[in-house]
Amino acid sequence: MRFYIHVIFPFFVMTLVYTLLTFFFGAKGIYTQKKLEEELKNVMQNINMINRKGEELDIIIKNLTSDEQTIKIFAHDLGYINEGEGIIKLASFTADPLRDASCGNAITIHEPTFISDSLCKRFAFLMGLISLIIEILILKSYDTAEEREKLYIYN
């Protein structure tokens, strides 16, 4: 029975280490999921901002196609004048009626960082070997202590 426990213990350590590594740092682990959720949140915020800007531009287009007063204001901002008006153009000034019209922020999508499955297996195997070596050293010291006690008892 004792032999089976000494053989099973390193396998238990290997399994435990592999399970913990993959659960927390694996490809579908908690750390990777949190990073992907953060990126999803950033992308959704950017999409919502672009949708709001698109709605604003739709309103401007609708006004430009139907409202004559809006057309005059935009034309005046672009440098066109009505009959009988004079205009003074500044050399370093360019008129832009849609100054704040942007198309969103540039977002770089990062590859999710995680520990590969093969690396998790290698590390778990290494931890199993270390536990086996420690167990052998403990057993050897225990056996030598027992032999010493037997020698002292016989003498």
Side-chain angles (χ1 to χ4, degrees), residues 52-111:
R52 283 193 304 273
K53 186 51 98 175
E55 290 170 0
E56 292 173 9
L57 291 175
D58 285 340
I59 291 171
I60 290 173
I61 289 171
K62 184 179 177 184
N63 285 338
L64 281 174
T65 56
S66 62
D67 189 13
E68 191 173 315
Q69 192 66 23
T70 306
I71 295 171
K72 285 182 182 179
I73 292 172
F74 267 87
H76 201 269
D77 284 344
L78 290 173
Y80 294 100
I81 57 173
N82 287 332
E83 291 179 21
E85 280 186 343
I87 190 165
I88 300 174
K89 283 215 170 207
L90 302 175
S92 63
F93 180 74
T94 58
D96 185 9
L98 299 174
R99 288 174 199 83
D100 59 341
S102 66
C103 59
N105 300 328
I107 294 179
T108 56
I109 305 289
H110 303 287
E111 288 288 325

Side-chain angles (χ1 to χ4, degrees), residues 2-149:
R2 190 171 179 203
F3 175 73
Y4 291 119
I5 291 173
H6 296 299
V7 171
I8 291 175
F9 182 72
F11 287 112
F12 173 74
V13 170
M14 287 177 14
T15 306
L16 179 68
V17 168
Y18 175 73
T19 303
L20 290 176
L21 282 175
T22 55
F23 183 74
F24 288 106
F25 302 108
K28 294 182 181 179
I30 292 174
Y31 177 76
T32 307
Q33 291 297 324
K34 287 193 180 205
K35 288 295 183 182
L36 288 174
E37 287 172 2
E38 288 175 11
E39 286 215 20
L40 178 66
K41 181 181 172 187
N42 290 339
V43 169
M44 292 304 290
Q45 285 176 348
N46 196 29
I47 288 172
N48 290 336
M49 194 257 313
I50 290 171
N51 285 336
R52 283 193 304 273
K53 186 51 98 175
E55 290 170 0
E56 292 173 9
L57 291 175
D58 285 340
I59 291 171
I60 290 173
I61 289 171
K62 184 179 177 184
N63 285 338
L64 281 174
T65 56
S66 62
D67 189 13
E68 191 173 315
Q69 192 66 23
T70 306
I71 295 171
K72 285 182 182 179
I73 292 172
F74 267 87
H76 201 269
D77 284 344
L78 290 173
Y80 294 100
I81 57 173
N82 287 332
E83 291 179 21
E85 280 186 343
I87 190 165
I88 300 174
K89 283 215 170 207
L90 302 175
S92 63
F93 180 74
T94 58
D96 185 9
L98 299 174
R99 288 174 199 83
D100 59 341
S102 66
C103 59
N105 300 328
I107 294 179
T108 56
I109 305 289
H110 303 287
E111 288 288 325
T113 55
F114 58 89
I115 298 175
S116 68
D117 194 49
S118 63
L119 187 61
C120 289
K121 289 177 183 175
R122 289 177 191 159
F123 190 73
F125 181 74
L126 179 67
M127 293 307 288
L129 283 178
I130 290 172
S131 68
L132 181 65
I133 291 169
I134 291 172
E135 191 174 342
I136 289 171
L137 291 175
I138 290 172
L139 285 176
K140 192 171 190 174
S141 67
Y142 178 74
D143 289 341
T144 56
E146 267 184 16
E147 288 177 15
R148 284 185 201 149
E149 286 180 14

